[in-house]
Amino acid sequence: VTGSSRGIGAAIAKALAREGWPVGVNYRSDAEGAEAVVKEITDAGGRAVAVQADISDLDAADTLFKRLEEELGPVLVLVNNAGVRADGLSPQIDDEDWAKVIDTNLSAAFRLTRRALRPMIRGRFGRVVNIASIVGAERANPGQANYAASKAGLVAMTKTVAAEVARRGVTVNAVAPGLIETDMTEDIGDGLLQHVPARRAGTPDDVAACVRFLVSQDAGYVTGVCLTVDGGLTA
Ligand code: NAP
């Protein structure tokens, strides 16, 4: 699970561990957070290792997979969760902020997916889940042209790759969260919340539950979908 030192990724890592999966807890800088997630999993009887890698590095996919294959065995599930924002109205988004968001949220997810697929196809089983966002397609959020483009690209990639590998027993899906309470959204005021029919922000566990389903054996015939989890915001 990329970016699982905190927030939604941490909840996904713990949910998958509860299902019996050994989990690679990837992080970029928050070693303490990642170790805390690993400890919570191992204290509960599960298996997990923390693996540092900045997924926007070109060689990160190989480094990560080699380490996980050595320590935990073949990687049967990939959750592309790590994501960043660099908001600004379009005239103010510079090339660096455009590239940073596209590189991390989209290009890195592609490289990790590409690396994950070969052994999944050989083994005739695999699950890829990409964490997108409702701003990718369903609800525009002014100030997030780079972020929205990255998430729309992620959903398009999800559907295309899903169609490519469906006959090999590998599913590829996306989850599109609405407003979820994490560090990423702590600067977002109550304005958006007023529009959420559920009258509350989502929790990381709300998102993790969807991922847990998509990864399960029960979801074997679900592929190429984007599951929205937003308390009705885009209904
Ligand atoms: P968060 O609290 O900001 O956590 C982001 C996580 O990603 C951290 O663990 C961070 O690791 C990691 N990360 C960032 N850049 C990385 C990189 N280059 N390489 C490796 N790890 C990296 O974010 P969140 O709210 O949990 O969001 C998780 C995902 O859900 C993102 O893709 C986000 O776009 C999506 N999402 C969130 C919301 C929401 O309302 N929160 C809504 C829709 C979609 P370090 O701390 O170690 O840097």
Side-chain angles (χ1 to χ4, degrees):
V1 183
T2 63
S4 46
S5 52
R6 55 195 161 94
I8 293 170
I12 294 169
K14 290 184 253 180
L16 296 185
R18 284 194 296 273
E19 294 296 299
W21 292 103
V23 182
V25 176
N26 162 247
Y27 66 99
R28 177 184 45 180
S29 54
D30 185 7
E32 218 173 287
E35 287 302 344
V37 173
V38 168
K39 185 171 184 313
E40 208 178 315
I41 291 173
T42 48
D43 283 354
R47 278 176 76 201
V49 289
V51 264
Q52 195 284 329
D54 181 336
I55 57 158
S56 64
D57 289 346
L58 284 177
D59 55 4
D62 259 336
T63 314
L64 265 175
F65 274 76
K66 269 190 198 136
R67 167 98 196 272
L68 291 174
E69 284 161 353
E70 276 165 24
E71 295 208 18
L72 300 176
V75 177
L76 304 179
V77 176
L78 167 67
V79 183
N80 283 310
N81 165 80
V84 290
R85 277 170 51 191
D87 295 357
L89 293 173
S90 295
Q92 277 90 47
I93 293 181
D94 60 22
D95 289 339
E96 200 181 318
D97 280 346
W98 177 268
K100 182 173 88 175
V101 173
I102 300 288
D103 280 355
T104 308
N105 297 6
L106 178 59
S107 306
F110 174 71
R111 286 192 294 271
L112 286 154
T113 303
R114 182 175 60 190
R115 175 62 178 78
L117 286 175
R118 287 179 215 128
M120 288 178 180
I121 288 168
R122 268 200 304 275
R124 295 288 192 274
F125 178 86
R127 297 280 190 265
V128 178
V129 181
N130 296 318
I131 308 303
S133 166
I134 56 165
V135 308
E138 297 165 280
R139 188 185 167 100
N141 194 18
Q144 293 199 311
N146 47 2
Y147 183 81
S150 73
K151 297 300 190 179
L154 194 58
V155 173
M157 181 185 94
T158 299
K159 289 172 186 263
T160 305
V161 178
E164 289 172 357
V165 298
R167 70 197 169 97
R168 311 284 191 174
V170 179
T171 69
V172 187
N173 292 291
V175 171
L179 179 62
I180 310 296
E181 253 169 22
T182 68
D183 292 351
M184 188 182 263
T185 49
E186 67 184 0
D187 61 338
I188 293 176
D190 287 345
L192 186 58
L193 197 54
Q194 288 167 16
H195 299 283
V196 179
R199 287 287 180 266
R200 67 168 177 90
T203 66
D205 286 337
D206 288 324
V207 182
C210 298
V211 176
R212 191 184 58 208
F213 167 67
L214 292 171
V215 165
S216 71
Q217 289 284 356
D218 287 344
Y221 200 59
V222 180
T223 196
V225 304
C226 181
L227 179 54
T228 299
V229 48
D230 71 350
L233 182 56
T234 57

Short mmCIF file of all heavy atoms in Angstrom, two decimals, residues 50-99:
data_model
loop_
_atom_site.label_atom_id
_atom_site.label_comp_id
_atom_site.label_asym_id
_atom_site.label_seq_id
_atom_site.Cartn_x
_atom_site.Cartn_y
_atom_site.Cartn_z
N ALA A 50 7.75 -1.99 6.99
CA ALA A 50 7.76 -0.60 6.50
C ALA A 50 8.81 -0.50 5.39
O ALA A 50 9.91 -1.02 5.55
CB ALA A 50 8.11 0.34 7.64
N VAL A 51 8.45 0.11 4.26
CA VAL A 51 9.40 0.24 3.17
C VAL A 51 9.43 1.68 2.67
O VAL A 51 8.44 2.19 2.13
CB VAL A 51 9.09 -0.70 1.97
CG1 VAL A 51 9.89 -1.97 2.06
CG2 VAL A 51 7.63 -0.99 1.83
N GLN A 52 10.61 2.29 2.86
CA GLN A 52 10.75 3.68 2.42
C GLN A 52 11.00 3.71 0.92
O GLN A 52 11.79 2.93 0.39
CB GLN A 52 11.95 4.32 3.15
CG GLN A 52 12.02 5.83 3.07
CD GLN A 52 12.50 6.37 1.72
OE1 GLN A 52 13.29 5.73 1.04
NE2 GLN A 52 11.99 7.52 1.32
N ALA A 53 10.28 4.58 0.22
CA ALA A 53 10.57 4.86 -1.19
C ALA A 53 9.73 6.06 -1.59
O ALA A 53 8.54 6.14 -1.24
CB ALA A 53 10.21 3.67 -2.07
N ASP A 54 10.36 6.99 -2.28
CA ASP A 54 9.60 8.07 -2.90
C ASP A 54 9.11 7.53 -4.23
O ASP A 54 9.91 7.31 -5.15
CB ASP A 54 10.50 9.29 -3.10
CG ASP A 54 9.75 10.46 -3.72
OD1 ASP A 54 8.72 10.23 -4.41
OD2 ASP A 54 10.18 11.61 -3.54
N ILE A 55 7.82 7.29 -4.34
CA ILE A 55 7.30 6.59 -5.53
C ILE A 55 7.48 7.41 -6.81
O ILE A 55 7.35 6.87 -7.90
CB ILE A 55 5.81 6.17 -5.39
CG1 ILE A 55 4.93 7.38 -5.09
CG2 ILE A 55 5.67 5.07 -4.35
CD1 ILE A 55 3.48 7.16 -5.46
N SER A 56 7.79 8.71 -6.67
CA SER A 56 8.00 9.48 -7.89
C SER A 56 9.40 9.26 -8.47
O SER A 56 9.70 9.69 -9.58
CB SER A 56 7.71 10.97 -7.66
OG SER A 56 8.62 11.51 -6.74
N ASP A 57 10.28 8.57 -7.72
CA ASP A 57 11.59 8.19 -8.28
C ASP A 57 11.38 7.11 -9.34
O ASP A 57 10.60 6.17 -9.13
CB ASP A 57 12.52 7.62 -7.19
CG ASP A 57 13.00 8.71 -6.24
OD1 ASP A 57 12.84 9.90 -6.58
OD2 ASP A 57 13.49 8.35 -5.16
N LEU A 58 12.14 7.21 -10.44
CA LEU A 58 11.93 6.27 -11.55
C LEU A 58 12.22 4.82 -11.18
O LEU A 58 11.61 3.91 -11.73
CB LEU A 58 12.78 6.68 -12.75
CG LEU A 58 12.26 7.88 -13.55
CD1 LEU A 58 13.22 8.24 -14.67
CD2 LEU A 58 10.86 7.62 -14.10
N ASP A 59 13.15 4.61 -10.23
CA ASP A 59 13.48 3.22 -9.89
C ASP A 59 12.73 2.71 -8.65
O ASP A 59 13.00 1.62 -8.16
CB ASP A 59 15.00 3.05 -9.72
CG ASP A 59 15.57 4.03 -8.69
OD1 ASP A 59 14.76 4.76 -8.07
OD2 ASP A 59 16.79 4.04 -8.50
N ALA A 60 11.76 3.49 -8.16
CA ALA A 60 11.09 3.12 -6.91
C ALA A 60 10.31 1.81 -7.04
O ALA A 60 10.29 1.00 -6.11
CB ALA A 60 10.14 4.24 -6.46
N ALA A 61 9.69 1.59 -8.18
CA ALA A 61 8.86 0.38 -8.34
C ALA A 61 9.72 -0.86 -8.16
O ALA A 61 9.36 -1.78 -7.42
CB ALA A 61 8.15 0.39 -9.69
N ASP A 62 10.88 -0.88 -8.81
CA ASP A 62 11.75 -2.05 -8.71
C ASP A 62 12.28 -2.24 -7.31
O ASP A 62 12.28 -3.36 -6.78
CB ASP A 62 12.94 -1.89 -9.68
CG ASP A 62 12.70 -2.71 -10.94
OD1 ASP A 62 11.92 -3.69 -10.86
OD2 ASP A 62 13.28 -2.38 -11.98
N THR A 63 12.72 -1.14 -6.69
CA THR A 63 13.25 -1.21 -5.32
C THR A 63 12.19 -1.77 -4.38
O THR A 63 12.45 -2.69 -3.59
CB THR A 63 13.64 0.21 -4.83
OG1 THR A 63 14.38 0.84 -5.86
CG2 THR A 63 14.41 0.19 -3.55
N LEU A 64 11.00 -1.21 -4.47
CA LEU A 64 9.92 -1.62 -3.57
C LEU A 64 9.54 -3.08 -3.75
O LEU A 64 9.42 -3.84 -2.79
CB LEU A 64 8.67 -0.77 -3.87
CG LEU A 64 8.43 0.46 -3.04
CD1 LEU A 64 7.23 1.23 -3.58
CD2 LEU A 64 8.16 0.05 -1.59
N PHE A 65 9.34 -3.46 -5.02
CA PHE A 65 8.88 -4.83 -5.28
C PHE A 65 9.94 -5.86 -4.90
O PHE A 65 9.63 -6.90 -4.34
CB PHE A 65 8.43 -4.99 -6.73
CG PHE A 65 6.99 -4.59 -6.91
CD1 PHE A 65 6.63 -3.25 -6.93
CD2 PHE A 65 6.00 -5.54 -7.02
CE1 PHE A 65 5.30 -2.87 -7.05
CE2 PHE A 65 4.67 -5.17 -7.16
CZ PHE A 65 4.32 -3.84 -7.18
N LYS A 66 11.23 -5.56 -5.21
CA LYS A 66 12.29 -6.52 -4.86
C LYS A 66 12.31 -6.76 -3.37
O LYS A 66 12.35 -7.88 -2.89
CB LYS A 66 13.65 -5.98 -5.32
CG LYS A 66 14.00 -6.45 -6.71
CD LYS A 66 15.44 -6.12 -7.07
CE LYS A 66 15.61 -6.19 -8.58
NZ LYS A 66 16.37 -5.07 -9.13
N ARG A 67 12.25 -5.66 -2.61
CA ARG A 67 12.29 -5.76 -1.15
C ARG A 67 11.09 -6.56 -0.64
O ARG A 67 11.23 -7.45 0.21
CB ARG A 67 12.32 -4.33 -0.60
CG ARG A 67 12.07 -4.15 0.84
CD ARG A 67 13.36 -4.00 1.67
NE ARG A 67 13.04 -4.21 3.07
CZ ARG A 67 12.65 -3.24 3.88
NH1 ARG A 67 12.59 -1.99 3.46
NH2 ARG A 67 12.34 -3.51 5.13
N LEU A 68 9.89 -6.28 -1.17
CA LEU A 68 8.69 -6.97 -0.67
C LEU A 68 8.67 -8.43 -1.08
O LEU A 68 8.27 -9.29 -0.30
CB LEU A 68 7.42 -6.25 -1.17
CG LEU A 68 7.20 -4.87 -0.56
CD1 LEU A 68 6.01 -4.19 -1.20
CD2 LEU A 68 6.97 -5.00 0.94
N GLU A 69 9.14 -8.70 -2.31
CA GLU A 69 9.18 -10.10 -2.77
C GLU A 69 10.12 -10.91 -1.89
O GLU A 69 9.83 -12.06 -1.55
CB GLU A 69 9.58 -10.15 -4.25
CG GLU A 69 8.42 -9.75 -5.16
CD GLU A 69 8.84 -9.34 -6.57
OE1 GLU A 69 10.05 -9.23 -6.85
OE2 GLU A 69 7.95 -9.10 -7.40
N GLU A 70 11.26 -10.30 -1.51
CA GLU A 70 12.21 -11.00 -0.63
C GLU A 70 11.63 -11.24 0.76
O GLU A 70 11.76 -12.31 1.33
CB GLU A 70 13.49 -10.17 -0.47
CG GLU A 70 14.49 -10.36 -1.61
CD GLU A 70 15.56 -9.27 -1.60
OE1 GLU A 70 15.81 -8.67 -0.53
OE2 GLU A 70 16.10 -9.01 -2.68
N GLU A 71 10.97 -10.20 1.29
CA GLU A 71 10.55 -10.28 2.70
C GLU A 71 9.17 -10.92 2.91
O GLU A 71 8.92 -11.53 3.93
CB GLU A 71 10.55 -8.89 3.32
CG GLU A 71 11.95 -8.33 3.36
CD GLU A 71 12.16 -7.36 4.51
OE1 GLU A 71 11.36 -7.35 5.46
OE2 GLU A 71 13.13 -6.60 4.43
N LEU A 72 8.27 -10.72 1.94
CA LEU A 72 6.89 -11.18 2.17
C LEU A 72 6.39 -12.17 1.12
O LEU A 72 5.30 -12.71 1.25
CB LEU A 72 5.93 -9.98 2.22
CG LEU A 72 6.16 -8.92 3.31
CD1 LEU A 72 5.18 -7.76 3.16
CD2 LEU A 72 6.01 -9.52 4.70
N GLY A 73 7.15 -12.34 0.04
CA GLY A 73 6.68 -13.22 -1.03
C GLY A 73 6.07 -12.44 -2.17
O GLY A 73 6.14 -11.20 -2.18
N PRO A 74 5.48 -13.13 -3.15
CA PRO A 74 4.94 -12.45 -4.34
C PRO A 74 3.90 -11.39 -3.95
O PRO A 74 3.12 -11.60 -3.02
CB PRO A 74 4.27 -13.57 -5.14
CG PRO A 74 4.57 -14.84 -4.45
CD PRO A 74 5.23 -14.57 -3.16
N VAL A 75 3.92 -10.29 -4.68
CA VAL A 75 2.96 -9.21 -4.39
C VAL A 75 1.68 -9.46 -5.19
O VAL A 75 1.67 -9.33 -6.41
CB VAL A 75 3.57 -7.83 -4.74
CG1 VAL A 75 2.56 -6.71 -4.50
CG2 VAL A 75 4.84 -7.59 -3.92
N LEU A 76 0.61 -9.84 -4.51
CA LEU A 76 -0.63 -10.19 -5.19
C LEU A 76 -1.63 -9.04 -5.21
O LEU A 76 -2.61 -9.07 -5.95
CB LEU A 76 -1.28 -11.41 -4.51
CG LEU A 76 -0.39 -12.66 -4.40
CD1 LEU A 76 -1.13 -13.78 -3.68
CD2 LEU A 76 0.06 -13.11 -5.78
N VAL A 77 -1.36 -8.03 -4.37
CA VAL A 77 -2.27 -6.89 -4.26
C VAL A 77 -1.43 -5.61 -4.27
O VAL A 77 -0.46 -5.51 -3.53
CB VAL A 77 -3.05 -6.94 -2.92
CG1 VAL A 77 -3.93 -5.70 -2.76
CG2 VAL A 77 -3.89 -8.20 -2.82
N LEU A 78 -1.81 -4.67 -5.12
CA LEU A 78 -1.17 -3.35 -5.11
C LEU A 78 -2.24 -2.29 -4.89
O LEU A 78 -3.23 -2.24 -5.63
CB LEU A 78 -0.47 -3.09 -6.46
CG LEU A 78 -0.02 -1.64 -6.71
CD1 LEU A 78 1.09 -1.22 -5.74
CD2 LEU A 78 0.45 -1.46 -8.16
N VAL A 79 -2.05 -1.46 -3.87
CA VAL A 79 -2.96 -0.33 -3.68
C VAL A 79 -2.16 0.95 -3.92
O VAL A 79 -1.26 1.30 -3.15
CB VAL A 79 -3.60 -0.32 -2.27
CG1 VAL A 79 -4.59 0.84 -2.15
CG2 VAL A 79 -4.29 -1.65 -1.98
N ASN A 80 -2.47 1.62 -5.02
CA ASN A 80 -1.84 2.91 -5.33
C ASN A 80 -2.61 4.00 -4.61
O ASN A 80 -3.61 4.52 -5.10
CB ASN A 80 -1.87 3.15 -6.85
CG ASN A 80 -0.83 2.34 -7.58
OD1 ASN A 80 0.34 2.34 -7.21
ND2 ASN A 80 -1.26 1.63 -8.63
N ASN A 81 -2.12 4.30 -3.40
CA ASN A 81 -2.82 5.26 -2.54
C ASN A 81 -2.08 6.58 -2.41
O ASN A 81 -2.71 7.63 -2.29
CB ASN A 81 -3.03 4.65 -1.16
CG ASN A 81 -3.39 5.69 -0.12
OD1 ASN A 81 -4.54 6.12 -0.02
ND2 ASN A 81 -2.41 6.14 0.65
N ALA A 82 -0.74 6.55 -2.42
CA ALA A 82 0.02 7.78 -2.17
C ALA A 82 -0.40 8.87 -3.14
O ALA A 82 -0.53 8.63 -4.34
CB ALA A 82 1.52 7.51 -2.31
N GLY A 83 -0.61 10.05 -2.62
CA GLY A 83 -1.02 11.15 -3.48
C GLY A 83 -0.67 12.47 -2.84
O GLY A 83 -0.54 12.56 -1.61
N VAL A 84 -0.50 13.48 -3.68
CA VAL A 84 -0.19 14.82 -3.17
C VAL A 84 -1.07 15.85 -3.85
O VAL A 84 -1.63 15.62 -4.93
CB VAL A 84 1.30 15.19 -3.42
CG1 VAL A 84 2.21 14.36 -2.54
CG2 VAL A 84 1.68 15.06 -4.88
N ARG A 85 -1.19 16.99 -3.18
CA ARG A 85 -1.89 18.15 -3.75
C ARG A 85 -0.89 19.28 -3.88
O ARG A 85 0.03 19.39 -3.07
CB ARG A 85 -2.94 18.67 -2.76
CG ARG A 85 -4.24 17.99 -2.73
CD ARG A 85 -5.05 18.49 -1.51
NE ARG A 85 -5.15 19.94 -1.39
CZ ARG A 85 -5.63 20.58 -0.32
NH1 ARG A 85 -6.04 19.92 0.74
NH2 ARG A 85 -5.69 21.90 -0.28
N ALA A 86 -1.07 20.15 -4.87
CA ALA A 86 -0.32 21.42 -4.93
C ALA A 86 -1.29 22.40 -5.58
O ALA A 86 -1.22 22.67 -6.77
CB ALA A 86 0.96 21.26 -5.73
N ASP A 87 -2.25 22.88 -4.76
CA ASP A 87 -3.38 23.63 -5.30
C ASP A 87 -3.03 25.05 -5.71
O ASP A 87 -2.13 25.67 -5.16
CB ASP A 87 -4.50 23.70 -4.24
CG ASP A 87 -5.09 22.35 -3.90
OD1 ASP A 87 -4.68 21.35 -4.51
OD2 ASP A 87 -5.98 22.29 -3.02
N GLY A 88 -3.80 25.55 -6.64
CA GLY A 88 -3.70 26.93 -7.07
C GLY A 88 -4.65 27.12 -8.25
O GLY A 88 -4.95 26.13 -8.94
N LEU A 89 -5.13 28.34 -8.43
CA LEU A 89 -5.95 28.56 -9.63
C LEU A 89 -5.04 28.39 -10.85
O LEU A 89 -3.84 28.66 -10.77
CB LEU A 89 -6.59 29.94 -9.58
CG LEU A 89 -7.64 30.07 -8.45
CD1 LEU A 89 -8.14 31.50 -8.33
CD2 LEU A 89 -8.81 29.09 -8.64
N SER A 90 -5.61 27.97 -11.96
CA SER A 90 -4.78 27.56 -13.10
C SER A 90 -3.71 28.58 -13.52
O SER A 90 -2.59 28.19 -13.82
CB SER A 90 -5.66 27.18 -14.28
OG SER A 90 -6.39 26.03 -13.90
N PRO A 91 -4.03 29.90 -13.54
CA PRO A 91 -2.96 30.82 -13.95
C PRO A 91 -1.76 30.79 -13.01
O PRO A 91 -0.66 31.20 -13.38
CB PRO A 91 -3.65 32.20 -13.89
CG PRO A 91 -5.10 31.92 -13.97
CD PRO A 91 -5.30 30.58 -13.31
N GLN A 92 -1.96 30.29 -11.79
CA GLN A 92 -0.86 30.29 -10.81
C GLN A 92 -0.14 28.93 -10.69
O GLN A 92 0.85 28.83 -9.98
CB GLN A 92 -1.39 30.67 -9.42
CG GLN A 92 -1.50 32.16 -9.19
CD GLN A 92 -2.88 32.69 -9.60
OE1 GLN A 92 -3.90 32.11 -9.24
NE2 GLN A 92 -2.90 33.76 -10.37
N ILE A 93 -0.65 27.89 -11.31
CA ILE A 93 0.04 26.59 -11.19
C ILE A 93 1.26 26.60 -12.09
O ILE A 93 1.14 26.68 -13.31
CB ILE A 93 -0.91 25.42 -11.56
CG1 ILE A 93 -2.05 25.30 -10.53
CG2 ILE A 93 -0.13 24.10 -11.64
CD1 ILE A 93 -3.03 24.16 -10.79
N ASP A 94 2.45 26.53 -11.47
CA ASP A 94 3.67 26.54 -12.31
C ASP A 94 4.01 25.12 -12.76
O ASP A 94 3.39 24.14 -12.33
CB ASP A 94 4.84 27.22 -11.58
CG ASP A 94 5.21 26.52 -10.28
OD1 ASP A 94 4.89 25.33 -10.13
OD2 ASP A 94 5.82 27.17 -9.41
N ASP A 95 5.00 25.03 -13.64
CA ASP A 95 5.34 23.73 -14.24
C ASP A 95 5.74 22.71 -13.17
O ASP A 95 5.43 21.52 -13.27
CB ASP A 95 6.49 23.88 -15.25
CG ASP A 95 6.03 24.59 -16.51
OD1 ASP A 95 4.80 24.60 -16.77
OD2 ASP A 95 6.88 25.16 -17.22
N GLU A 96 6.43 23.22 -12.13
CA GLU A 96 6.90 22.31 -11.08
C GLU A 96 5.71 21.68 -10.33
O GLU A 96 5.69 20.47 -10.09
CB GLU A 96 7.77 23.12 -10.12
CG GLU A 96 8.69 22.28 -9.27
CD GLU A 96 9.49 23.18 -8.34
OE1 GLU A 96 9.96 24.25 -8.80
OE2 GLU A 96 9.60 22.83 -7.16
N ASP A 97 4.72 22.51 -9.98
CA ASP A 97 3.56 21.98 -9.25
C ASP A 97 2.69 21.10 -10.14
O ASP A 97 2.02 20.17 -9.67
CB ASP A 97 2.72 23.13 -8.66
CG ASP A 97 3.35 23.65 -7.37
OD1 ASP A 97 4.24 22.97 -6.82
OD2 ASP A 97 2.94 24.75 -6.93
N TRP A 98 2.65 21.42 -11.43
CA TRP A 98 1.93 20.54 -12.36
C TRP A 98 2.62 19.18 -12.40
O TRP A 98 2.00 18.13 -12.19
CB TRP A 98 1.87 21.17 -13.76
CG TRP A 98 1.21 20.26 -14.75
CD1 TRP A 98 1.82 19.35 -15.55
CD2 TRP A 98 -0.21 20.13 -14.99
NE1 TRP A 98 0.87 18.66 -16.29
CE2 TRP A 98 -0.37 19.12 -15.96
CE3 TRP A 98 -1.34 20.77 -14.47
CZ2 TRP A 98 -1.62 18.73 -16.44
CZ3 TRP A 98 -2.60 20.38 -14.95
CH2 TRP A 98 -2.73 19.39 -15.91
N ALA A 99 3.93 19.20 -12.62
CA ALA A 99 4.68 17.95 -12.81
C ALA A 99 4.69 17.10 -11.53
O ALA A 99 4.54 15.88 -11.59
CB ALA A 99 6.10 18.25 -13.26
#
